[in-house]
């Protein structure tokens, strides 16, 4: 009991986040770049959510799932970046033990949720291309809601399993985390006990979480390619590729970074590489997702032009009214 209490007291001490770049000479410039990316990412995702909500043409299962992806991306980037920006301007780069645990839990929940959601979005494209007549039944509103709830539940399960175990190890040495947020591998390096068994189990868990959605994506797009190959209409092929291309790009970016982090052996990892890859999928990916969908999807682009056109027309009417009065 005495040892347990001692471990708890030791773990209650704040951690120190060393940041993306350990010896930073111009924090102001880095702050400006990351803050700009953060603002663009949040604005683009919120705009995507509002656009899908406002435009009735986007009230389909595909865009409902896309709006959920934007919600996840918005929360996801807010977990790490605001703290990172604060640390860039502050001399004290500390994070409390509870804050670190909360960051780990939310990070695991969101990244796990996106793993499953992207897999289910591939299934949605499979049904749309290969079973269009049954699409309203197979992708009903109830099914879509269950998909989203299942994605959140799957991500939360990952967070609930790994966070308590990670934070239960005694951290009795250095409190300096060589990272810009509390990522589990970086935190475990500070433990004064052997964590190799837990890291192996965690590795297996992460690989399993990756394999499930990757299997869904692989099977879905294999069936889509077979169906598209059998199409006699060139226009049909073009529409099928157009409806899937945005999702394929987002999946490639997200899973590429996840593969490096969770699948490659430790011999391929260095703290510097890990931080760069983490920055890519925690900062850049949430910004790229809505940009890719808005640029490569005609329906989203058309809805955006329509909303902007209404805003422009309304602004012109206001200007004319003011001018007429004067």
């Amino acid at each position: 009991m005495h040892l347990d209490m001692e471990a708890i007291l030791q773990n209650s001490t704040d951690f120190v986040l060393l940041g993306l770049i350990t010896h930073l000479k111009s924090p102001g410039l880095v702050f400006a770049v990351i803050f700009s990316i953060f603002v663009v990412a949040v604005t683009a995702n919120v705009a995507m959510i509002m656009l899908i909500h406002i435009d009735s043409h986007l009230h389909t299962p595909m865009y409902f799932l896309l709006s959920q992806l934007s919600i996840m991306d918005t929360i996801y980037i807010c977990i790490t970046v605001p703290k990172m920006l604060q640390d860039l301007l502050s001399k004290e780069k500390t994070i409390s033990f509870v804050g670190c645990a909360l960051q780990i839990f939310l990070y695991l929940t969101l990244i796990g949720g996106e793993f499953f959601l992207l897999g289910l979005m591939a299934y949605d494209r499979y049904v749309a291309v290969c079973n269009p007549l049954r699409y309203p039944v197979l992708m009903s509103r109830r099914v879509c809601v269950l998909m989203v709830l299942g994605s959140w539940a799957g991500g939360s399960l990952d967070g609930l399993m790994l966070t308590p175990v990670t934070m239960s190890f005694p951290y009795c040495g250095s409190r300096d985390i060589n990272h810009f947020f509390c990522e589990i591998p970086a935190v475990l390096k500070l433990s004064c006990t052997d964590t190799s068994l837990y890291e192996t189990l965690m590795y297996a868990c992460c690989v399993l979480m990756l394999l499930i959605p990757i299997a869904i994506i692989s099977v879905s797009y294999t069936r889509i390619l077979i169906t598209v190959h059998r199409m006699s209409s060139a226009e049909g092929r073009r529409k099928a590729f157009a409806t899937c291309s945005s999702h394929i790009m987002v999946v490639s970016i997200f899973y590429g970074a996840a593969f490096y982090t969770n699948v490659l052996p430790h011999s391929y990892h260095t703290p510097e590489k890990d931080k760069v890859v983490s920055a890519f999928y925690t900062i850049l990916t949430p910004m790229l997702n809505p940009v890719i969908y808005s640029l490569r999807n005609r329906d989203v682009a058309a809805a955006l032009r329509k909303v902007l056109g209404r805003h422009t027309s309304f602004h012109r009417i206001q200007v004319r009214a003011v001018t007429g009065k004067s």
Side-chain angles (χ1 to χ4, degrees):
M1 178 67 73
H2 175 70
L3 291 176
D4 290 342
M5 287 301 296
E6 187 177 346
I8 291 170
L9 289 172
Q10 287 174 338
N11 281 351
S12 65
T13 308
D14 292 349
F15 291 103
V16 177
L17 295 170
L18 298 183
L20 180 60
I21 302 171
T22 307
H23 302 290
L24 191 59
K25 295 181 179 179
S26 53
L29 178 61
V30 176
F31 177 91
V33 172
I34 294 175
F35 180 74
S36 300
I37 294 172
F38 176 74
V39 170
V40 171
V42 172
T43 303
N45 279 292
V46 171
M48 182 70 77
I49 296 165
M50 296 299 295
L51 200 63
I52 292 170
H53 178 73
I54 293 170
D55 197 301
S56 60
H57 294 95
L58 302 182
H59 292 175
T60 63
M62 172 183 171
Y63 294 109
F64 172 73
L65 296 177
L66 178 57
S67 69
Q68 299 305 307
L69 180 65
S70 290
I71 290 172
M72 287 184 176
D73 279 337
T74 304
I75 302 172
Y76 186 42
I77 197 170
C78 289
I79 293 168
T80 57
V81 174
K83 174 59 179 170
M84 184 183 183
L85 292 172
Q86 178 188 340
D87 289 345
L88 284 169
L89 299 180
S90 174
K91 291 183 179 180
E92 294 184 1
K93 307 177 190 300
T94 58
I95 183 169
S96 68
F97 181 82
V98 174
C100 190
L102 183 62
Q103 201 174 60
I104 290 174
F105 171 74
L106 292 174
Y107 161 76
L108 290 174
T109 298
L110 268 297
I111 197 170
E114 286 206 25
F115 282 160
F116 291 118
L117 186 62
L118 287 171
L120 294 171
M121 288 173 74
Y123 171 76
D124 167 73
R125 293 300 82 212
Y126 155 72
V127 176
V129 175
C130 302
N131 295 288
L133 297 178
R134 299 183 63 194
Y135 186 78
V137 177
L138 295 176
M139 292 300 297
S140 64
R141 181 74 177 181
R142 180 173 177 272
V143 171
C144 290
V145 171
L146 288 175
M147 283 182 168
V148 171
L149 292 177
S151 298
W152 279 102
S156 299
L157 182 63
D158 190 34
L160 288 170
M161 286 193 305
L162 298 182
T163 306
V165 181
T166 301
M167 305 312 289
S168 66
F169 287 105
Y171 297 100
C172 49
S174 171
R175 313 299 291 188
D176 296 344
I177 301 174
N178 190 13
H179 217 296
F180 61 90
F181 74 102
C182 289
E183 193 172 40
I184 290 180
V187 174
L188 289 178
K189 288 179 180 178
L190 305 183
S191 177
C192 50
T193 59
D194 183 19
T195 61
S196 56
L197 177 60
Y198 171 60
E199 289 182 55
T200 302
L201 293 174
M202 184 176 64
Y203 173 83
C205 175
C206 292
V207 170
L208 180 63
M209 281 197 66
L210 275 172
L211 286 179
I212 294 172
I214 285 175
I216 296 172
I217 292 168
S218 300
V219 172
S220 297
Y221 278 111
T222 300
R223 298 294 299 272
I224 288 171
L225 287 173
I226 293 171
T227 302
V228 170
H229 179 70
R230 292 174 179 172
M231 287 181 180
S232 57
S233 168
E235 180 65 17
R237 290 183 181 182
R238 187 194 64 77
K239 286 184 178 179
F241 279 121
T243 193
C244 298
S245 60
S246 299
H247 183 255
I248 292 173
M249 288 184 67
V250 170
V251 164
S252 300
I253 293 170
F254 192 77
Y255 280 90
F259 181 85
Y260 169 86
T261 302
N262 300 301
V263 178
L264 287 183
H266 289 296
S267 57
Y268 289 89
H269 291 255
T270 65
E272 289 71 26
K273 287 181 182 178
D274 289 349
K275 287 192 285 186
V276 169
V277 174
S278 295
F280 180 78
Y281 67 75
T282 57
I283 302 172
L284 288 177
T285 302
M287 180 188 72
L288 291 174
N289 288 352
V291 172
I292 290 170
Y293 273 105
S294 61
L295 291 178
R296 297 188 61 84
N297 191 294
R298 291 186 176 183
D299 293 335
V300 174
L304 183 60
R305 285 195 297 269
K306 189 190 299 183
V307 170
L308 292 175
R310 289 175 184 172
H311 177 74
T312 304
S313 299
F314 179 73
H315 181 68
R316 287 175 179 173
I317 291 171
Q318 281 188 319
V319 171
R320 287 175 182 173
V322 172
T323 306
K325 288 179 181 179
S326 59

